[in-house]
Amino acid sequence: MDHNKWLQENTYHHSAFANIADLVKQKEKKGCTISLCIPTLNEEKTIGKEIIIFKSELMNRFPLLDEIAVIDSGSKDKTLEIAASYGADVYLASDILPSIENKKGKGENLWKAIYQLKGDIIVYIDADIKNIHPRFVYGLLGPLICRDEVMYVKAFYDRPLAFSGGIRPTGGGRVTEILIRPLFSLFYPDLTPIIQPLSGEYAVRREVLEQIPFPIGYGVETSHLIDVYQKWGMEAFAQTDLDQRVHRNQPTRDLGKMSFGILQSFFKRLSGNQFKHLKNFNSQVLRQFQSQNNTFEAVEINIKEEERPPMITIPEYIEKKKKLK
């Protein structure tokens, strides 16, 4: 694959879609519906601003979104009350598909949103963005609305590619640079042009989401890229530069837990006899170390990256689709 050609043809800047009225016209012409999903857990400091901005600009002023929903993991703060007071539809993940044993994790919320929400396209936006702006939504929807062949659009931000005046260095977060890029370079080189594979903001067509499994934890973004690539190829992807994203950083130890979960999901997707020993690797214990009173002690953390099956295999979802036809 010609990586530079893919970048030129499939990488956008959000400003290309800033004419929201035109996007609405194209959306209505195609007769598609769009849902915004915000997965939450104790996000009372930022959720209100997100709902206000998205609802006022992308529902009331321009009817780009058909629904705005919060899927919550069981917040102990006022996340749910605030989101509901500003007009979002609010759901507890544990209340969705109650016949299935509930599990905790962001991926669980994203997966259950496929069942709960109505849209032909679902946009996922994290709840902790401090510099929230409508571009986080319309920038991701633009390629899907304008190009029928695009099925999955990822965000990138912070240190974007410059589209004029040369190229500046760009990159993802710490886990992306020291784990995901090396893994993709070794095993899935076609995926390396995706600038920020672990970004939490993306927009996807329902027919894709319902056919792929969802790790319930940290591996969800990585597994999506691999599964969509293997099923639909790189032509299904596009990515949009959203300029800058301001959010809280995680401690290095927590990034170790994230990496461990990602590796479990990654190993499950390796194929071929030469990778058999990695694919069957099933350790769930992460070993870290901590220092206390000038002594070191080992800490063992159990991390099991469980996965939900494709939503299209769930009987309740199949029945719901039949009723909607």
Side-chain angles (χ1 to χ4, degrees):
M1 189 186 84
D2 186 334
H3 291 175
N4 286 326
K5 184 174 184 292
W6 187 92
L7 279 166
Q8 292 171 6
E9 295 177 351
N10 296 281
T11 304
Y12 296 89
H13 188 268
H14 65 82
S15 59
F17 310 109
N19 188 336
I20 307 175
D22 184 60
L23 278 183
V24 171
K25 289 179 183 178
Q26 294 188 61
K27 169 205 166 187
E28 292 174 346
K29 184 178 179 180
K30 294 185 176 182
C32 67
T33 54
I34 301 172
S35 299
L36 170 62
C37 170
I38 306 176
T40 57
L41 178 63
N42 298 324
E43 302 291 357
E44 65 179 8
K45 293 181 180 179
T46 50
I47 191 62
K49 185 177 179 182
E50 290 200 12
I51 301 300
I52 290 171
I53 288 176
F54 292 144
K55 189 172 179 63
S56 63
E57 292 297 310
L58 302 179
M59 286 189 85
N60 299 338
R61 186 179 179 193
F62 299 104
L64 185 64
L65 296 174
D66 296 285
E67 65 179 332
I68 297 175
V70 165
I71 310 288
D72 189 76
S73 293
S75 292
K76 302 301 182 185
D77 62 5
K78 295 182 179 179
T79 296
L80 295 176
E81 295 93 321
I82 293 171
S85 70
Y86 288 120
D89 298 326
V90 174
Y91 305 97
L92 278 174
S94 57
D95 292 339
I96 302 171
L97 291 170
S99 64
I100 298 173
E101 180 188 1
N102 184 54
K103 298 182 185 296
K104 292 284 188 179
K106 176 185 173 184
E108 176 85 346
N109 295 19
L110 306 182
W111 183 71
K112 287 185 172 179
I114 305 169
Y115 177 86
Q116 189 64 46
L117 306 189
K118 306 178 184 70
D120 302 311
I121 296 171
I122 298 179
V123 191
Y124 294 109
I125 302 292
D126 280 348
D128 64 341
I129 304 173
K130 296 179 180 178
N131 63 322
I132 200 65
H133 184 276
R135 70 176 184 270
F136 279 81
V137 171
Y138 68 69
L140 295 174
L141 289 172
L144 290 167
I145 293 173
C146 298
R147 293 176 57 189
D148 291 340
E149 72 274 21
V150 172
M151 307 181 85
Y152 196 113
V153 183
K154 288 285 288 185
F156 70 97
Y157 28 64
D158 195 25
R159 291 172 292 160
L161 287 173
F163 289 90
S164 62
I167 295 177
R168 295 179 305 201
T170 186
R174 290 166 286 175
V175 176
T176 290
E177 297 303 328
I178 65 176
L179 179 67
I180 302 302
R181 281 200 208 289
L183 285 175
F184 280 0
S185 297
L186 284 169
F187 297 104
Y188 298 101
D190 283 356
L191 287 170
T192 55
I194 295 177
I195 292 172
Q196 286 185 324
L198 297 184
S199 66
E201 290 72 45
Y202 35 94
V204 196
R205 298 191 191 278
R206 175 175 292 273
E207 62 261 36
V208 171
L209 289 170
E210 66 185 14
Q211 294 186 58
I212 57 177
F214 274 63
I216 65 170
Y218 296 119
V220 64
E221 284 86 11
T222 304
S223 72
H224 277 190
L225 295 180
I226 296 171
D227 293 342
V228 172
Y229 165 70
Q230 290 182 329
K231 195 171 183 68
W232 290 279
M234 284 302 292
E235 58 269 24
F237 290 108
Q239 59 187 348
T240 301
D241 172 3
L242 300 181
D243 283 336
Q244 188 180 49
R245 182 191 195 277
V246 180
H247 63 108
R248 59 177 180 266
N249 287 322
Q250 296 194 56
T252 302
R253 287 177 62 85
D254 288 346
L255 298 183
K257 299 174 188 176
M258 179 187 296
S259 299
F260 191 69
I262 290 171
L263 283 170
Q264 290 183 44
S265 296
F266 186 87
F267 287 163
K268 288 179 183 177
R269 284 158 175 79
L270 293 179
S271 60
N273 291 331
Q274 66 269 41
F275 305 135
K276 187 175 181 181
H277 63 292
L278 291 177
K279 192 172 183 180
N280 293 333
F281 179 77
N282 60 4
S283 175
Q284 297 171 4
V285 178
L286 172 65
R287 292 171 176 84
Q288 294 181 324
F289 295 87
Q290 65 184 18
S291 174
Q292 187 173 9
N293 298 326
N294 296 321
T295 61
F296 293 90
E297 62 178 0
V299 179
E300 293 189 352
I301 305 166
N302 190 277
I303 299 174
K304 184 179 181 182
E305 191 70 10
E306 298 180 271
E307 295 196 11
R308 290 299 196 184
M311 184 61 76
I312 199 65
T313 66
I314 303 299
E316 292 93 330
Y317 182 72
I318 296 171
E319 285 301 312
K320 187 174 183 178
K321 286 196 73 171
K322 288 179 181 178
K323 292 177 182 178
L324 293 175
K325 288 183 179 180

